[in-house]
C-alpha cells in the first residue's frame, strides 16, 4: 500500500468491501488530521471544499478548526449544512455572481466575498453597503501542474487584473477590505513562489489600503508518485512569513496569514476501490477492465494525471509474476483509460498479474475524485466511506437508478 496509513490496509479494505461492495471511495480521517496539523503555523486554514465536498468531510474540518471556501451556491449550502457559521467561517470565491438570487443570499447571510472581478464589486455594493470582501489578484503570471490548472496571467480567467480600479467602488460602497488573496495554481514551484510573494508585497504597497489578512491560496502539491518528495511545508511557510512581516511593517499593523488548500488536506486520505471484471488481449496489448470509469475518477483523462495503483488479490495469495497492463473502465469511450501519460493515451502499468475478481486500488484520490464524478453513461454515483476513530461508516450512499431518473420524471 502506498498511503502511510494504518487504516488503509488490506484487511480493513476487505472488511469494507464485504459490507458495501465495490466500487467505492474510502477516506481515512487520520491522514486529514495529520495534514491539518502540518499547517498549524498558519493563523488560519481554509479548506477549498471543491476538492472533496462531502458534508461529513466538511464537518470533520470544522471540528478541527478549519474554515471553508465555497465557489458556488451549492458549496455555500453544503458548508451551512455541515454546521459552518456563514458570517464567520465561509468565504465565497468567484469571478462572477452566477445570479442575482445568489447575491441576495450572500447579502442576507452576510457571507464574506473574495472578489475576482470589478463587476462583482458593483453588483454587490448596490445591494450591500459596507460588505466584507477580499480582493483576489491576478499576479499577471501563472503556474499549474497542467495548463488547465494554471490560475494566473493572461491565459487565466481568474482574479482582478488592475486592483487600482477597485478603489472607486471600495470608496463608493464603503466595502470592508479583509485581505488580499492570490491563488496561483496547483503545484507550487518555489522559484515561482518568490515571484508571487514579491508581487503580493508590490501590490499592497501600491494599493495603500488597510488590510488584516493575506491569503496564500492553495496549490500545495502531494507526492502522487512513489519517488516524489513530500511538499516542504516549512519552506512554504517561511517564505510567506517573511512576506507577511514586510507587509506588516509597511502597513503598521499585524498581518495574519491564511492558507487555502484543497488537495493537500485530503488527496492522500482517499482511495478508490474497484474490481477486475474483464481481461483481454488486443494484438500485443493487454487490457484489464475494472468497474469504475472516468465518470468516477476523471483526473487521468482530464489532466493525464498519475495515480498510483495497487492491487489486492481476491484469494489473498501473493502474486509474484509482474505484467504490463493497460487499466480501463466500462465507459463507452476509447479514452476511458486510467494508465494514461502526458505523451500517450494508451499506456500501461507494471502490476502483479491480475485475475478476474481481484481488486484494483487507485491511490491519492481523496481530492478531485468523488467531487468531480458524474452520471455519464447513466452510471449512478458510488458510495463514500469514512474511517474515523478506528471505525468505518458510510458518508454517501450508493445512488439508486430511481434517484438518478427522478429529476427527469416530469
Ligand atoms: C481550487 C482552489 C484552491 C485549492 O487548490 P488546491 O490545488 O486543491 O490546493 C484554493 N483556492 C481557490 C480559490 C481555488 O479555486
Amino acid at each position: 500500500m502506498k498511503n502511510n496509513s494504518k487504516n488503509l490496509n488490506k484487511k480493513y479494505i476487505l472488511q469494507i468491501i464485504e459490507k458495501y461492495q465495490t466500487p467505492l471511495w474510502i477516506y481515512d480521517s487520520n491522514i486529514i488530521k495529520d495534514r491539518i496539523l502540518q499547517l498549524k503555523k498558519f493563523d488560519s486554514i481554509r479548506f477549498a471544499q471543491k476538492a472533496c465536498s462531502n458534508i461529513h468531510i466538511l464537518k470533520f474540518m470544522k471540528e478541527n478548526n478549519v474554515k471553508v471556501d465555497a465557489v458556488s451556491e451549492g458549496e455555500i449550502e453544503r458548508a451551512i449544512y455541515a454546521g459552518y457559521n456563514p458570517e464567520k467561517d465561509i468565504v465565497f470565491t468567484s469571478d462572477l455572481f452566477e445570479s442575482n438570487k445568489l447575491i441576495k443570499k450572500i447579502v442576507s447571510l452576510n457571507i464574506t466575498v473574495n472578489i475576482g472581478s470589478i463587476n462583482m464589486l458593483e453588483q454587490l455594493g448596490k445591494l450591500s453597503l459596507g460588505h466584507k470582501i477580499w480582493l483576489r489578484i491576478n499576479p499577471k503570471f501563472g503556474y499549474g501542474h497542467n495548463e488547465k490548472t494554471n490560475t494566473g496571467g493572461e491565459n487565466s480567467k481568474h482574479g482582478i487584473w488592475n486592483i487600482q480600479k477597485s478603489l472607486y467602488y471600495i470608496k463608493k460602497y464603503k466595502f470592508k477590505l479583509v485581505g488580499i488573496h492570490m491563488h496561483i495554481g496547483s503545484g507550487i514551484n518555489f522559484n515561482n513562489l518568490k515571484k508571487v510573494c514579491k508581487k503580493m508585497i508590490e501590490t499592497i504597497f501600491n494599493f495603500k489600503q488597510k488590510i488584516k489578512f493575506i491569503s496564500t491560496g492553495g496549490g500545495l502539491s502531494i507526492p502522487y508518485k512513489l519517488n516524489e518528495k513530500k511538499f516542504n511545508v516549512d519552506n512554504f511557510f517561511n517564505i510567506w512569513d517573511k512576506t507577511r512581516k514586510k507587509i506588516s511593517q509597511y502597513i503598521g499593523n499585524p498581518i495574519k496569514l491564511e492558507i487555502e488548500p484543497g488537495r493537500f488536506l485530503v488527496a492522500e486520505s482517499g482511495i478508490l476501490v474497484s474490481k477486475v471484471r474483464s481481461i483481454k488481449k488486443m494484438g500485443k496489448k493487454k487490457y484489464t477492465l475494472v468497474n469504475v470509469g472516468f465518470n468516477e475518477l476523471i483526473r487521468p483523462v482530464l489532466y493525464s494525471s498519475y495515480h498510483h495503483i495497487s492491487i489486492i488479490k481476491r484469494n489473498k495469495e501473493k502474486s509474484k509474476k509482474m505484467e504490463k497492463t493497460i487499466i480501463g473502465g466500462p465507459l463507452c469511450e476509447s479514452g476511458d483509460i486510467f494508465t494514461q501519460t502526458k505523451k500517450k493515451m494508451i499506456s500501461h502499468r507494471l502490476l502483479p498479474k491480475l485475475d478476474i475478481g481481484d481488486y484494483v486500488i487507485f491511490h491519492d484520490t481523496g481530492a478531485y475524485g468523488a467531487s468531480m464524478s458524474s452520471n455519464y453513461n447513466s452510471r449512478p454515483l458510488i458510495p463514500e466511506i469514512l474511517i474515523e476513530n478506528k471505525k468505518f461508516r458510510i458518508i454517501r450512499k450508493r445512488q439508486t437508478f430511481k434517484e438518478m431518473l427522478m429529476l427527469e420524471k416530469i
Side-chain angles (χ1 to χ4, degrees), residues 48 50 69 71 93 136 181 183 186 217-220 260-263 368:
K50 69 175 192 282
D69 184 58
V71 296
T93 296
R136 176 176 183 175
H181 174 283
H183 171 68
S186 291
L220 289 74
E260 191 185 53
R263 180 188 324 277
Y368 307 107

Side-chain angles (χ1 to χ4, degrees), residues 61-241:
M61 294 293 179
K62 183 173 181 289
E63 282 161 18
N64 287 281
N65 292 321
V66 175
K67 294 187 158 56
V68 71
D69 184 58
V71 296
S72 68
E73 193 169 350
E75 286 194 353
I76 291 174
E77 290 290 324
R78 283 181 177 278
I80 292 171
Y81 195 86
Y84 276 110
N85 178 322
E87 200 171 334
K88 290 191 188 139
D89 303 331
I90 304 176
V91 165
F92 174 78
T93 296
S94 188
D95 298 296
L96 70 162
F97 292 113
E98 277 181 77
S99 65
N100 291 336
K101 178 174 143 266
L102 172 58
I103 307 178
K104 282 181 195 142
K105 180 182 276 179
I106 284 169
V107 170
S108 71
L109 293 169
N110 225 346
I111 293 173
T112 304
V113 182
N114 184 14
I115 299 270
S117 67
I118 301 292
N119 299 113
M120 289 177 80
L121 284 174
E122 190 167 15
Q123 290 161 3
L124 178 67
K126 274 185 189 158
L127 294 187
S128 180
L129 270 189
H131 204 93
K132 272 204 263 179
I133 59 163
W134 289 70
L135 293 174
R136 176 176 183 175
I137 308 306
N138 183 320
K140 301 190 167 73
F141 54 84
Y143 195 80
H145 69 72
N146 182 293
E147 200 185 333
K148 291 182 187 150
T149 58
N150 168 18
T151 56
E154 271 181 22
N155 291 327
S156 161
K157 65 173 179 173
H158 295 298
I160 295 176
W161 192 262
N162 184 352
I163 189 176
Q164 300 300 336
K165 283 192 181 157
S166 67
L167 279 174
Y168 169 78
Y169 293 103
I170 289 177
K171 288 203 185 93
K172 181 169 178 187
Y173 296 121
K174 303 187 169 59
F175 285 117
K176 289 193 197 87
L177 184 61
V178 181
I180 303 290
H181 174 283
M182 276 188 197
H183 171 68
I184 305 309
S186 291
I188 281 162
N189 160 305
F190 281 100
N191 288 326
N192 187 59
L193 180 62
K194 286 186 183 149
K195 270 170 64 187
V196 171
C197 289
K198 218 176 129 208
K199 194 79 192 182
M200 181 69 102
I201 294 171
E202 262 175 39
T203 304
I204 294 173
F205 283 16
N206 293 331
F207 197 48
K208 300 186 171 61
Q209 298 297 305
K210 284 257 179 235
I211 50 168
K212 291 195 186 106
F213 273 92
I214 54 174
S215 172
T216 71
L220 289 74
S221 54
I222 64 117
Y224 281 103
K225 289 189 177 155
L226 288 181
N227 57 4
E228 266 171 340
K229 282 207 196 99
K230 280 189 193 160
F231 185 79
N232 191 332
V233 175
D234 285 337
N235 203 1
F236 184 78
F237 175 80
N238 289 335
I239 293 171
W240 274 110
D241 194 40

Side-chain angles (χ1 to χ4, degrees), residues 20 36 41 43 65 68-69 86 96 119 160 172 181 184 234 258 310 326 333 336-337 375 388 396:
Y20 295 111
I36 295 170
K41 282 191 190 163
D43 300 305
N65 292 321
V68 71
D69 184 58
L96 70 162
N119 299 113
I160 295 176
K172 181 169 178 187
H181 174 283
I184 305 309
D234 285 337
E258 178 161 296
S310 71
I326 298 157
E333 286 260 358
D336 188 24
I337 300 291
N375 282 131
E388 204 175 356
R396 183 178 72 185

Side-chain angles (χ1 to χ4, degrees), residues 1 14 19 64 66 77 151 172 255 266 293 375 384 389:
M1 291 283 133
L14 286 170
K19 180 142 191 209
N64 287 281
V66 175
E77 290 290 324
T151 56
K172 181 169 178 187
I255 294 287
V266 289
N375 282 131
E384 295 176 87
N389 303 326

Side-chain angles (χ1 to χ4, degrees), residues 248-312:
S248 179
Q249 261 181 1
Y250 175 79
I251 292 214
N253 63 274
I255 294 287
K256 287 193 171 155
L257 198 53
E258 178 161 296
I259 188 169
E260 191 185 53
R263 180 188 324 277
F264 182 82
L265 291 176
V266 289
E268 291 165 278
S269 78
I271 57 172
L272 172 62
V273 183
S274 70
K275 193 177 195 172
V276 177
R277 301 294 303 177
S278 172
I279 299 173
K280 48 190 212 168
K281 271 248 159 109
M282 313 292 265
K284 291 198 189 78
K285 296 195 169 162
K286 185 167 197 174
Y287 286 77
T288 302
L289 303 182
V290 297
N291 60 355
V292 291
F294 75 64
N295 66 300
E296 272 87 29
L297 178 64
I298 201 173
R299 298 189 71 252
V301 176
L302 195 58
Y303 314 122
S304 314
S305 302
Y306 179 95
H307 283 278
H308 181 72
I309 295 174
S310 71
I311 70 155
I312 300 179

